[in-house]
Amino acid sequence: MSTEDDNLVRRYREGDGDAFAALFARYHRLVFNYARLTIRDASAAEDLLQETFLAVANGAERYEPRGHFRAWLLGICRHRCLDWLERRKRRERIATETGFLVLEAPALDSPRQDLQRRERLDLTLTALAKLPDTQREAVTFYALKELSYAEIAEVLGCPINTVKTLIRRGRLRLAELLAEADGVPS
Amino acid sequence: MTCTQDPNSLLDYLDGELSAAAAAAVTSHLAGCPSCRRLLASLKDSERSLAELGNETAPVDALMRVQRRVCLDLGIAKEREILTLEDAADFLRLEADELAEVLDDLPWFELAGRIRFRRQALLDWVRKREQECARERLSRNLQRELRTPA
């Protein structure tokens, strides 16, 4: 719980642009990484980061200051990511029906990074994508290491114990999928 | 023989959440169970990858671009009058390498060995380019009409 975030939101509501810049500086990396992990498209994640912070600015009046800004912020980003994934699914369906080929966006773009390491991370992303939706979302938040179980529960709208179970099951399933990808029977 | 070890205990073992006695029991089980050793190795591997993915550094230029756009949209930042190469690429919605390709057509100037643009000059250039494109379109349409038999 951060009352400092609440103070920044309050200052922004009162017209202090620096307060909004401070919120952006504090959370842009978290939001960008969450969006990038969720939609697996760095360029679109940039757009979603922009949309999320614009929505935060426009919705700042509706925010109830009870120390949950991070969860509120990621909730906004999550909805935008889910909409984006839904639109992509629609585009892919239309492309399949009309026979147009759609090239899948690269998982993450970082050409200078070590190839083997990159392949391993892509393999993990592919395995992550195979988890059931709720498990995948919970494991994504777990990977970001910044949110408490209570905050993840607020974003996902489920009890804390469910979050814990989802993360445990997701981590185990991910390990099994990676072992299978390596040709080791689980 | 099938292993009956609860995989959850391997997670607790990895997270260091077992009592000393329970951890010792898992260690001893692992010594004789290749399938649990494989699962534990895979768990460690996926934890490493997840940590790396969650911790990846976002591209600074992209983040700065977004911050600037958001602040401009909200009216809490003013447009800069003098632009760098990166600013100009963002202003024209081009990638940096695309901007480099058309650089000689653009109104840039040199200052202390660096390339700079005046925002207004870029806008004027865009307007001229719009007019050129409109003329080209008109001329193409006209030629097409002339070629088409009545």
Side-chain angles (χ1 to χ4, degrees), chain A residues 37 40 104 106-108 114-131 136 173-184, chain B residues 42 45-50 53:
Chain A
L37 276 179
R40 300 183 62 192
E104 198 186 328
L108 294 169
D114 168 55
L115 188 64
Q116 210 177 3
R117 185 182 141 269
R118 192 71 261 165
E119 278 172 358
R120 194 73 204 153
L121 294 184
D122 283 345
L123 210 61
T124 308
L125 280 171
T126 307
L128 194 61
K130 287 181 184 164
L131 297 182
R136 188 188 59 246
R173 184 68 194 128
L174 195 67
E176 287 167 2
L177 286 167
L178 283 175
E180 281 167 21
D182 283 338
V184 181
Chain B
S42 188
D45 191 25
S46 67
E47 292 293 308
R48 250 194 314 273
S49 296
L50 279 179
L53 286 168

Side-chain angles (χ1 to χ4, degrees), chain B residues 10 12 32 34 37 46 61 64 67 75-76 96 112-113 119 134 142 149:
Chain B
L10 291 181
D12 292 334
R37 279 203 304 274
S46 67
D61 55 339
M64 284 180 64
Q67 182 171 21
I76 53 181
R119 198 170 67 87
L142 208 61

Side-chain angles (χ1 to χ4, degrees), chain B residues 6-72:
Chain B
D6 177 7
N8 280 297
S9 65
L10 291 181
L11 263 187
D12 292 334
Y13 181 77
L14 185 68
D15 292 343
E17 283 180 6
L18 292 179
S19 66
V26 173
T27 307
S28 138
H29 172 80
L30 283 166
C33 180
S35 84
C36 280
R37 279 203 304 274
R38 277 195 297 269
L39 181 57
L40 184 65
S42 188
L43 265 172
K44 285 182 181 169
D45 191 25
S46 67
E47 292 293 308
R48 250 194 314 273
S49 296
L50 279 179
E52 253 190 89
L53 286 168
N55 216 5
E56 279 206 314
T57 318
V60 177
D61 55 339
L63 295 176
M64 284 180 64
R65 217 165 31 228
V66 172
Q67 182 171 21
R68 181 132 194 88
R69 280 187 211 150
V70 171
C71 289
L72 282 172

Side-chain angles (χ1 to χ4, degrees), chain A residues 8-17 19-21 23-24 48-63 69 72-73 76-77 80, chain B residues 66-67 69-76:
Chain A
L8 288 170
V9 176
R10 181 184 49 74
R11 280 173 44 201
Y12 173 64
R13 281 174 179 169
E14 290 165 3
D16 181 353
F20 187 81
L23 283 170
F24 186 91
L48 290 176
L49 172 67
Q50 181 171 341
E51 280 181 28
T52 299
F53 273 92
L54 283 175
V56 165
N58 293 326
E61 289 297 333
R62 288 193 301 277
Y63 173 69
F69 177 77
W72 183 68
L73 170 72
I76 292 175
C77 184
R80 273 158 180 73
Chain B
V66 172
Q67 182 171 21
R69 280 187 211 150
V70 171
C71 289
L72 282 172
D73 267 21
L74 297 175
I76 53 181

